[in-house]
Each structure stands twice: as structure tokens, then as C-alpha cells.
Amino acid sequence: LESLLATCDDTNRGIRDRAMLMLAFASGGRRRSEVTALNVEDIGRDEFIAKGLLWIRLLETKTTKKDQAPKLPLKGRAARAVVHWLEVTRLVEGPLFRPVSKSDRPLPRRLASDALRTILRYRLKLAGLPEDFATPHGLRAGFLTQAALDGAPLAAAMKLSLHRSAVQAQK
């Protein structure tokens, strides 16, 4: 992940890609459809200045419905990357992550659900790694692996990743 982040420059595309990759990993290993479905309104910034904490509301996931919309914390570098994207683009509503034009302007529409895969492959290539070296699901699995390496209890990691099965989370 650090190698991929190192390829993200200060263009809008680089800032977006850094924010997407960091959010996908640090918020519990989000699925690519969850990342691209986020709206600006789903990012709670009330505690960012005081605590460096964002709250991400996932409207619908593979394991939850709209009436169960979980709020997940995002802090540290990942939270700062998302806030930087919002500040640079001045987005106030609509899709959080958007296509960026060739002239480096964010477009008004939402990224396609497979955009994270495309962005990941592009960043892998820039980092000098094979395009199949990692997948979007690898960010999800990587979050759980890193949580285990850091000594986090499985139940705490599952609370963020929204896995229901401990057996599946341990895989």
C-alpha cells in the first residue's frame, strides 16, 4: 500500500486515488462497491478538527441494509487524505469519488463500481509492480491481516470490516 501511495502526486487524480486507497484499507477493508457508492454527505466531519476523526456512513453493504446503515470511524492519515480531497475539490454534495478529466477536473458523476480495480492496477504499474500483484479485495484482506499483526482482537477487526463470520474473517 505504501508503494502505491508513493505514486500519488498532488494532482486531483493523485489526491483522489490516495484518498480512495487509504479509505478502502483503513476503514475496515471496504468493498469496491462500498467505496464508489459513498457520497460527500456520508462523511461526518464534526469531530475532525478536535479529534482527527471522520465517521463514514455506509448506506448499504453486502451484510447490512439501508435501515442498518453502519457508521465507521476513519482517522489518522486516511482521514486527512479524505478531507484533503474534499478541500481541494470543494465538493459539498453528491458522489464522493468521481472521475477526473484529462485536464485534472473532477467530473460531476460517480465512478463506476469497478473503478477501484482500474485505479489499483494503474498505481501498481506506476509502482513497478505487476498489475495482478494486488486486487481491491486484497485491501480488504490486508486490513484484517494487518489488524492481526498489530494484535487487534478479531472481534474488533470484524466490527470494522463488517464480517459476520469469524471463520471467513480469519481466511
Side-chain angles (χ1 to χ4, degrees):
L1 182 58
E2 292 297 335
S3 296
L4 302 180
L5 296 175
T7 70
C8 298
D9 57 17
D10 288 330
T11 62
N12 282 330
R13 184 179 312 275
I15 293 166
R16 180 209 55 201
D17 291 0
R18 180 182 301 114
M20 275 186 78
L21 291 168
M22 293 185 88
L23 182 144
F25 180 83
S27 66
R30 301 280 44 96
R31 293 176 180 90
R32 59 191 171 120
S33 61
E34 294 168 354
V35 173
T36 57
L38 286 169
N39 289 313
V40 174
E41 300 88 342
D42 298 327
I43 307 299
R45 293 185 259 179
D46 295 343
E47 298 181 56
F48 182 72
I49 292 178
K51 298 180 182 177
L53 178 66
L54 298 178
W55 288 96
I56 300 169
R57 180 183 61 189
L58 297 175
L59 288 182
E60 197 166 355
T61 71
K62 187 176 173 183
T63 57
T64 62
K65 301 293 178 218
K66 287 184 181 182
D67 62 335
Q68 305 167 319
K71 287 178 108 177
L72 302 171
L74 185 69
K75 57 186 185 175
R77 290 171 56 201
R80 289 190 301 275
V82 171
V83 168
H84 185 57
W85 165 247
L86 290 170
E87 288 173 347
V88 166
T89 57
R90 298 185 185 136
L91 296 175
V92 293
E93 64 181 8
L96 176 61
F97 296 118
R98 303 162 182 229
V100 174
S101 72
K102 289 182 181 180
S103 62
D104 204 40
R105 281 182 314 108
L107 301 174
R109 67 181 184 274
R110 182 176 309 283
L111 283 170
S113 61
D114 67 338
L116 185 56
R117 177 185 313 279
T118 304
I119 289 166
L120 185 61
R121 284 182 176 164
Y122 174 72
R123 294 291 164 189
L124 285 165
K125 187 176 178 182
L126 287 179
L129 298 166
E131 288 183 25
D132 61 352
F133 185 79
T135 65
H137 188 75
L139 294 173
R140 185 165 170 76
F143 167 79
L144 289 167
T145 300
Q146 191 61 52
L149 292 171
D150 291 346
L154 180 60
M158 287 176 59
K159 192 171 182 177
L160 283 175
S161 70
L162 301 177
H163 277 88
R164 287 191 198 166
S165 161
V167 173
Q168 187 65 30
Q170 289 175 323
K171 283 184 183 179

